[in-house]
Amino acid sequence: MNVSGLYTNSKKYKNILEKVTPVLLALLPIVVTFFGEKLVPVAIVLLVVSFLFEENKKENFAANKKLLLPYVIYVSVFILYSFFAIEVKLAMKVLERQVSLLLIPAIVFSSNLNTDRIKIFVKTFIIGMLIILIYSVIKLSWFIYTQAEWIEIMNKTSGNSTYLQFKYPHIVGAHPTYWCYLLILANIFLLSNSFMKIFSNKYWNIFLLIIFNINIFFLSARTPIVVNILIHLLAFILYQKDQKISFVKIIGIIGTVFLIGILAINSPLLKAKVLGVVNDERMYLWPKALDQIRQNYFVLGEGLGQGKKILKDYVIQNGDPREEYIRYDLHNQYLKHYLDMGIMGLLSLLYLLIHPFFRLKNLFSIMSLPLIGFCTLFMLSLFTESSLYLIKGILIFAIFSSILLKDYQNQQKT
């Protein structure tokens, strides 16, 4: 028996297995955003199976169990309100989506995700987003080539040249807001490259930043664009404070922000969306939701899953002046939580969002950029989207929040 050969093979298999969990974690948000929710159960089963091969699960969980507390509190409020639900089936449907917000962090905190394995996660995710970008450009080019006359007709009908930008995410089959979330997360990693050491070539890093930012602006989702600019400015401030900013980084960040400004000025769809803010249905529905919250004395909720139904009835009873696109989605996670689960729901959400700040030893260190950037993204984006009631939003939050918390903890140990 060739003992050395068996040892070599076992080591090779072990190296392969070590890559499976971070690769699956990196691909899961891409799968749910671009390929739909049908593949999610399969992906999660594969992730659980790969987790079974992880070593030292109990020891890792014991060492990281405090990191899981905000997720437990958050999901526990959903469980509590499901017990008193008026419509049990509806409440269970809302609750079942929240399971991932416990399962994914539990897997991350119980796995041996050291710095090298998190680097595999980040590289896989960024390369995945690059492949999606290339694929989308090919699809868009083909659409322009085959549908040139139709594009011209639609632009004339609307009286502007926004149709192609509007159609772009639909050609790929993705929601522009969630696509932007993933691009911003990729930007956060690229802006943190100096200490995360994802790519050794800094010019390649800058190139990826530029094309991802162009992609964000072509998608023209309003809130993500604002968040993206803030994160770039935050990176610039933190690098300057740490005095770790080179000439290349200065040129890269300033050039990117300048590019953002140029693209913003010349984006017809973004202009149309900004001008349409006043007539956005959010502006109509948010005051109505606050009226309902006020009727519950700012304490009680309407019940899990009941907020939207109660809001719809309230709007209809008082007369709905809207003539087109009559929908009742608040597009605001804070109001949706408050309306469904009262002050307890709102506080649990706020704790989930801000608890990473309590883990930071130095808020103004460049090492804090990934966590601060992530928190900024979700804290601001939840004002205009109810992402944590949708499985893609839940998975994006669960994966990246837990990975970044684990990575920060790893960084502090080195």
Side-chain angles (χ1 to χ4, degrees):
M1 183 180 291
N2 191 340
V3 178
S4 62
L6 286 173
Y7 175 75
T8 303
N9 286 333
S10 65
K11 192 174 180 181
K12 189 185 295 183
Y13 290 134
K14 186 179 179 182
N15 289 336
I16 293 170
L17 283 172
E18 283 184 347
K19 294 177 182 178
V20 173
T21 299
V23 167
L24 286 173
L25 283 167
L27 293 179
L28 187 48
I30 295 174
V31 167
V32 72
T33 303
F34 295 97
F35 302 100
E37 297 178 7
K38 291 182 179 178
L39 293 174
V40 170
V42 177
I44 289 179
V45 168
L46 289 173
L47 181 61
V48 171
V49 171
S50 72
F51 171 67
L52 296 176
F53 292 93
E54 290 286 331
E55 297 177 349
N56 306 317
K57 290 186 281 289
K58 288 183 179 179
E59 292 84 351
N60 289 323
F61 180 78
N64 299 310
K65 60 185 178 183
K66 287 183 179 179
L67 296 176
L68 196 61
L69 181 61
Y71 303 94
V72 173
I73 292 172
Y74 179 81
V75 177
S76 296
V77 175
F78 278 88
I79 295 170
L80 176 64
Y81 269 82
S82 68
F83 287 141
F84 303 100
I86 299 169
E87 295 182 44
V88 177
K89 285 185 179 179
L90 180 59
M92 288 297 109
K93 190 176 180 181
V94 175
L95 179 61
E96 70 176 346
R97 296 180 192 138
Q98 305 300 322
V99 172
S100 298
L101 209 48
L102 269 182
L103 178 64
I104 301 294
I107 288 173
V108 170
F109 298 143
S110 302
S111 301
N112 281 324
L113 287 174
N114 55 28
T115 302
D116 290 335
R117 295 184 76 195
I118 289 177
K119 196 181 291 186
I120 292 169
F121 164 85
V122 175
K123 277 188 175 180
T124 304
F125 172 66
I126 291 174
I127 291 168
M129 291 306 298
L130 178 60
I131 292 169
I132 291 291
L133 174 54
I134 294 168
Y135 170 72
S136 72
V137 170
I138 293 170
K139 289 273 287 185
L140 182 65
S141 301
W142 180 250
F143 182 78
I144 294 169
Y145 177 72
T146 57
Q147 304 293 329
E149 289 184 13
W150 177 248
I151 294 168
E152 189 176 346
I153 290 168
M154 291 303 293
N155 284 337
K156 284 181 179 178
T157 304
S158 61
N160 54 44
S161 54
T162 62
Y163 180 71
L164 192 60
Q165 273 186 277
F166 168 78
K167 192 68 179 175
Y168 174 52
H170 301 284
I171 294 169
V172 182
H175 192 293
T177 300
Y178 293 91
W179 189 349
C180 284
Y181 288 172
L182 296 184
L183 287 166
I184 291 170
L185 287 164
N187 280 348
I188 290 170
F189 289 127
L190 292 168
L191 288 167
S192 306
N193 190 58
S194 64
F195 59 91
M196 292 190 80
K197 310 293 183 187
I198 307 157
F199 299 111
S200 56
N201 190 323
K202 55 190 173 185
Y203 296 104
W204 171 246
N205 196 70
I206 292 171
F207 171 73
L208 289 174
L209 266 175
I210 290 170
I211 62 171
F212 285 166
N213 277 297
I214 292 172
N215 199 177
I216 288 170
F217 269 88
F218 198 73
L219 289 165
S220 292
R222 290 167 296 194
T223 305
I225 286 174
V226 173
V227 173
N228 189 47
I229 293 171
L230 289 174
I231 288 171
H232 278 76
L233 292 174
L234 174 67
F236 182 75
I237 291 166
L238 292 180
Y239 271 116
Q240 273 206 322
K241 190 169 181 63
D242 273 11
Q243 297 180 342
K244 291 181 180 179
I245 189 159
S246 64
F247 179 73
V248 172
K249 286 192 182 76
I250 291 172
I251 296 299
I253 295 173
I254 292 176
T256 303
V257 174
F258 182 74
L259 177 66
I260 287 169
I262 296 295
L263 290 170
I265 293 168
N266 293 284
S267 172
L269 183 59
L270 183 58
K271 285 180 184 177
K273 284 187 173 184
V274 171
L275 292 172
V277 167
V278 178
N279 297 319
D280 195 299
E281 65 173 359
R282 294 173 177 88
M283 299 297 108
Y284 174 74
L285 291 175
W286 289 353
K288 306 296 181 186
L290 288 169
D291 286 343
Q292 290 299 103
I293 291 167
R294 194 177 293 111
Q295 287 180 25
N296 282 313
Y297 304 102
F298 299 96
V299 177
L300 302 174
E302 298 291 350
L304 192 57
Q306 290 296 303
K308 185 176 180 179
K309 184 179 178 182
I310 298 294
L311 178 66
K312 180 180 178 180
D313 293 342
Y314 176 75
V315 170
I316 292 171
Q317 285 172 11
N318 288 275
D320 193 340
R322 296 174 297 171
E323 295 178 358
E324 297 180 1
Y325 195 68
I326 299 174
R327 298 181 71 177
Y328 300 92
D329 188 347
L330 281 170
H331 290 285
N332 186 309
Q333 191 68 60
Y334 302 103
L335 286 178
K336 200 172 184 72
H337 252 72
Y338 211 158
L339 197 57
D340 269 8
M341 295 176 285
I343 191 68
M344 192 182 297
L346 180 63
L347 290 176
S348 67
L349 172 63
L350 291 174
Y351 181 50
L352 182 71
L353 294 173
I354 67 172
H355 88 276
F357 288 107
F358 300 125
R359 297 286 168 186
L360 298 175
K361 290 187 176 180
N362 185 354
L363 188 63
F364 301 104
S365 168
I366 191 60
M367 303 283 283
S368 304
L369 176 61
L371 269 176
I372 296 175
F374 174 82
C375 291
T376 302
L377 169 60
F378 267 87
M379 287 174 73
L380 294 181
S381 66
L382 292 182
F383 278 105
T384 54
E385 287 295 333
S386 304
S387 304
L388 296 183
Y389 263 44
L390 301 175
I391 190 63
K392 54 189 167 186
I394 290 167
L395 286 173
I396 292 170
F397 184 89
I399 291 168
F400 287 97
S401 63
S402 54
I403 285 283
L404 289 172
L405 282 166
K406 189 74 171 70
D407 181 60
Y408 184 79
Q409 188 168 287
N410 291 342
Q411 296 280 358
Q412 296 306 304
K413 290 178 181 178
T414 56

